[in-house]
Amino acid sequence: MTDDFEQRHGYPPGANEIRPTDHDDQAAVRRLTQVSLATADLVTFYDSIGEVTWADVGNGYFVAPAEDVLLQLGEYGPVDMGADQKARGLVIGSNGGGQSYVAGPGGAVYRTRTASQDEPELDRVADGLRQFLEQLEQVLTRFVETGEPGHL
């Protein structure tokens, strides 16, 4: 992806990586397992993947490390996901356009319509974490092949 990036875009590439889980991440994963909103798929993901940073794919795509998910939860609480405010989710990432990705109850992944998480409007982007990650892979593949990032 980065071989001819600077030639095509006029500036050097930033961080673009899938970072494996390290010791600190494992400690955060253990704490995440205690959070009732964390699905088994999310915990399994964080058991192997520390974070995803694709700063140069479109505006950027980011899957936050488990520690950041926990910090976000501690500072702002869960994301209210419905008019009844009974459904709540965890912010697991973002795009460079200011929208957040939220893992909801049952594992579906949503994208906020705006940068605000106060009474957010959400669009369902994937039925589960696996589908969300497959869509991220498709965005990256398109970017590598065509230079166009696509949209998620």
Side-chain angles (χ1 to χ4, degrees):
M1 177 184 122
T2 59
D3 289 347
D4 62 347
F5 185 90
E6 188 167 3
Q7 180 182 0
R8 287 188 351 217
H9 299 282
Y11 56 91
N16 296 282
E17 68 177 345
I18 299 173
R19 184 180 58 74
T21 303
D22 63 20
H23 179 71
D24 292 337
D25 295 317
Q26 288 295 325
V29 171
R30 285 190 294 278
R31 291 193 318 276
L32 188 62
T33 63
Q34 304 303 311
V35 175
S36 62
L37 298 173
T39 63
D41 285 349
L42 191 61
V43 171
T44 299
F45 171 80
Y46 281 124
D47 247 348
S48 298
I49 303 297
E51 87 184 285
V52 176
T53 302
W54 292 341
D56 294 317
V57 179
N59 288 333
Y61 289 95
F62 310 92
V63 178
E67 181 67 32
D68 289 1
V69 172
L70 292 166
L71 288 171
Q72 170 84 19
L73 179 63
E75 189 168 334
Y76 300 105
V79 175
D80 292 325
M81 301 186 62
D84 62 7
Q85 305 300 316
K86 292 180 184 173
R88 297 174 183 262
L90 295 171
V91 174
I92 61 167
S94 64
N95 65 26
Q99 297 167 310
S100 296
Y101 294 107
V102 178
V109 178
Y110 300 81
R111 181 186 58 238
T112 60
R113 291 186 186 164
T114 65
S116 174
Q117 293 172 18
D118 298 328
E119 299 182 28
E121 294 181 34
L122 302 165
D123 294 314
R124 188 177 184 137
V125 295
D127 293 334
L129 186 62
R130 181 184 184 110
Q131 184 182 34
F132 173 70
L133 296 171
E134 288 169 347
Q135 290 174 359
L136 276 177
E137 180 183 32
Q138 291 168 359
V139 166
L140 178 64
T141 300
R142 178 178 175 179
F143 183 75
V144 169
E145 292 174 353
T146 69
E148 297 295 322
H151 182 69
L152 174 71

